[in-house]
Amino acid sequence: MRLTPEQLAARKRRNLALAAALVAFIVLVFATTILKLQGNRDEAADGAAARLVVEPD
C-alpha cells in the first residue's frame, strides 16, 4: 500500500508533534527534578547551619 503525498505529510506532522510533546515532557521532568534537588540541598544547608549554632550555657 502506497501513501499519497498528503498522507505522508500528515504522518510527518504527527511525528513532529509527538516528538515535540515528548521533548517537552522530558524537559518538564528534568526541571522538576533539578528544582527538587536544589530545595533539598537548601534545606540540608539550613539544617547544618542550625546544628552549628551553639547555645551559650
Side-chain angles (χ1 to χ4, degrees):
M1 179 173 145
R2 299 195 44 97
L3 298 176
T4 65
E6 293 82 18
Q7 290 172 324
L8 289 173
R11 178 187 284 180
K12 186 172 183 174
R13 282 191 306 272
R14 279 193 307 271
N15 287 343
L16 288 174
L18 185 58
L22 184 59
V23 168
F25 177 72
I26 290 169
V27 168
L28 178 66
V29 169
F30 179 74
T32 302
T33 301
I34 294 300
L35 290 173
K36 283 185 167 274
L37 287 174
Q38 285 179 345
N40 288 341
R41 187 184 68 193
D42 293 342
E43 287 177 13
D46 291 343
R51 287 191 299 270
L52 291 176
V53 174
V54 176
E55 295 288 330
D57 290 328

